[in-house]
Amino acid sequence: MKVLVLNCGSSSIKYKLYNMDNEAVLAQGGVERIGLDNAFIKVKLTNGEKKQIMADLPTHKEGVSLVFKCLLDPEFGAIKDLKEIDAVGHRIVQGGDKYNKSVIVDKQVEQDIEELCDLAPVHNAGHLKGIRAVDALMPTTPQVCVFDNAFHSTMPDYAYLYAIPYELYEKYHIRRYGFHGTSHRYVSQRVCEILGLDVNNSRIITCHIGNGASVAAVLNGKVIDTSMGLTPLAGLMMGSRCGDIDASAVTYLMDKLGKKPQEMADYLNKQSGVLGITGISSDMRDVENAAQEGNKRAKLALEMYDYRIKKYIGAYAAALGGVDAIVFTAGVGENQTGTREQACAGLEFLGIKIDKAKNATIHGEEAIISTPDSKVKVVVVPTDEEIVIARDTKELVEKAK
């Protein structure tokens, strides 16, 4: 079975085509700047090189069509006919409390995703455009939605509810949902394989640390708490998101800055976090370089960033009643050695000991970076959200036959 995985943003499409017989990646790439000038697709070739093709892409339909065109290209394509694609799997950021598992797309699912756009306006709208583009171009091909918050649906009510009038949850579904679920799901299962742990008897803290970042407490394979909330704004300090903040500080700033609700949301999501503190960049590589050159605000941002990860690790160790393993994943978690070291520094009382020399050598590969005598294993596991989506898609489509 061949499964195409699509991750559609507001103006982008990331894709991977899998042969699910052996889970081999047949093709991958990304479309950028849909609806904007200078739109293009970047295709990763089998020899590791990248090919960029400029195109006029007014909508996601043209973007998906260009993906198909590249998949069929006689020079660097992977298939000869679109009929070779047996199913398409989509990442959907927000399934609300309607979906706690992956589902095959039908009209009701599309309608539900549209209704949930209020909770994730940029993300869900983009995902929906991708689904409808495939509908138009491959109307008989089954599609599957894999929801970003589904893995977190096992949280107990005392963890996911906010302490606001209960009727607001009943009427508007205001609660903690959590995100990066496919990543937390993949790495929490993979680390058990690496360490020889029984998933059903394990206490794992997963740290998805990228431009967007979140931490999850996973007990016996199920999430009991996670740092993101109703939206991806909550929790850790991120590239351009503020993370946890006093709600009164938000209303105070709205008054002082004269900002309307959506303007304030944009300010906290796009101009805050690491970018807001440094005034330099939302990219941690740039911030590390600036800190090494003596930039005080860059140093401060790193201290704030690492401290908040450490704080959540400590909190979730308490929530889990102890911890067997801590996992670092995503762009920063897989590559930024300083952040991993500092996030675990001072946690020796929990049985956490980092092998600093080993940690300094690990960039983007699976590795245990704790010392042999560390009671808690600290592990780097590169995430693979796409394979989770592909596996769910294959399973559901096969069951439906």
Side-chain angles (χ1 to χ4, degrees):
M1 174 185 281
K2 289 186 177 72
V3 172
L4 177 64
V5 173
L6 295 179
N7 182 353
C8 298
S10 59
S11 61
S12 66
I13 303 169
K14 295 178 184 176
Y15 71 91
K16 273 190 181 180
L17 178 66
Y18 287 92
N19 178 353
M20 293 307 292
D21 295 339
N22 58 4
E23 297 191 345
V25 177
L26 302 176
Q28 61 183 307
V31 181
E32 300 287 344
R33 300 183 59 83
I34 296 170
L36 303 170
D37 293 336
N38 302 314
F40 64 89
I41 187 169
K42 188 175 286 185
V43 181
K44 187 173 181 180
L45 306 180
T46 52
N47 62 4
E49 295 180 6
K50 292 181 180 178
K51 184 180 183 67
Q52 184 169 308
I53 303 167
M54 306 303 292
D56 182 24
L57 304 174
T59 73
H60 280 68
K61 183 177 179 181
E62 286 80 14
V64 171
S65 181
L66 182 56
V67 169
F68 291 162
K69 184 178 178 181
C70 288
L71 291 174
L72 292 166
D73 190 277
E75 179 189 348
F76 56 84
I79 54 175
K80 294 181 180 179
D81 193 304
L82 289 180
K83 292 179 181 178
E84 292 181 42
I85 299 174
D86 298 289
V88 179
H90 297 265
R91 175 202 177 211
I92 310 296
V93 163
Q94 182 57 279
D97 48 14
K98 292 177 181 287
Y99 297 101
N100 60 11
K101 60 183 179 181
S102 302
V103 296
I104 291 178
V105 176
D106 58 21
K107 292 301 180 185
Q108 184 62 54
V109 171
E110 289 189 27
Q111 182 180 322
D112 290 341
I113 293 170
E114 188 165 22
E115 289 175 359
L116 289 163
C117 278
D118 280 353
L119 296 180
V122 173
H123 293 93
N124 269 33
H127 304 324
L128 192 60
K129 289 174 183 176
I131 291 169
R132 289 174 173 166
V134 175
D135 274 341
L137 297 165
M138 297 172 63
T140 61
T141 302
Q143 299 187 74
V144 168
C145 287
V146 180
F147 297 94
D148 218 17
N149 62 304
F151 186 54
H152 302 299
S153 65
T154 53
M155 280 190 290
D157 52 6
Y158 59 79
Y160 69 66
L161 284 173
Y162 293 115
I164 56 176
Y166 191 79
E167 56 265 26
L168 297 178
Y169 165 64
E170 293 179 305
K171 187 173 182 179
Y172 299 113
H173 309 285
I174 304 298
R175 52 160 285 182
R176 181 181 304 280
Y177 288 106
F179 302 93
H180 299 137
T182 48
S183 178
H184 288 291
R185 178 176 154 196
Y186 175 81
V187 300
S188 63
Q189 294 169 352
R190 178 61 188 148
V191 75
C192 289
E193 295 172 1
I194 293 169
L195 298 176
L197 295 173
D198 178 3
V199 173
N200 298 314
N201 185 27
S202 62
R203 299 167 299 179
I204 312 293
I205 297 173
T206 50
C207 305
H208 178 106
I209 313 297
N211 197 265
S214 61
V215 182
V218 187
L219 180 64
N220 303 330
K222 296 181 178 180
V223 174
I224 62 166
D225 208 345
T226 192
S227 60
M228 283 182 165
L230 175 74
T231 75
L233 182 62
L236 300 174
M237 177 181 179
M238 303 174 227
S240 61
R241 295 179 185 138
C242 64
D244 292 335
I245 186 172
D246 183 343
S248 291
V250 178
T251 55
Y252 178 83
L253 284 171
M254 289 175 68
D255 180 56
K256 291 294 183 184
L257 300 174
K259 290 187 179 294
K260 296 176 181 178
Q262 189 55 55
E263 291 173 333
M264 194 66 206
D266 289 343
Y267 194 67
L268 297 177
N269 274 286
K270 299 176 182 178
Q271 298 179 50
S272 301
V274 172
L275 174 62
I277 295 296
T278 64
I280 296 170
S281 174
S282 62
D283 191 307
M284 291 299 288
R285 293 166 293 191
D286 296 336
V287 175
E288 273 202 335
N289 290 335
Q292 289 169 3
E293 293 169 1
N295 186 298
K296 291 183 179 180
R297 280 168 58 182
K299 288 181 179 178
L300 173 61
L302 286 175
E303 289 172 351
M304 293 172 66
Y305 190 87
D306 299 342
Y307 172 73
R308 283 157 173 74
I309 300 169
K310 180 196 294 188
K311 189 165 68 169
Y312 266 99
I313 289 172
Y316 286 170
L320 290 165
V323 57
D324 299 313
I326 297 167
V327 186
F328 286 96
T329 193
V332 176
E334 293 169 25
N335 295 287
Q336 217 89 344
T337 61
T339 288
R340 295 195 301 251
E341 180 180 330
Q342 291 304 313
C344 293
L347 297 180
E348 290 80 8
F349 73 97
L350 289 175
I352 299 167
K353 293 183 182 179
I354 285 280
D355 184 334
K356 294 181 182 180
K358 177 72 176 293
N359 176 54
T361 67
I362 301 304
H363 300 277
E365 66 263 29
E366 289 185 351
I368 298 170
I369 58 171
S370 49
T371 60
D373 63 337
S374 180
K375 292 180 180 178
V376 177
K377 299 302 179 186
V378 183
V379 188
V380 177
V381 180
T383 193
D384 194 342
E385 298 173 81
E386 289 84 4
I387 194 59
V388 173
I389 296 169
R391 287 169 180 168
D392 278 13
T393 301
K394 176 177 182 269
E395 181 181 354
L396 284 171
V397 171
E398 286 184 340
K399 278 184 180 179
K401 286 182 178 178

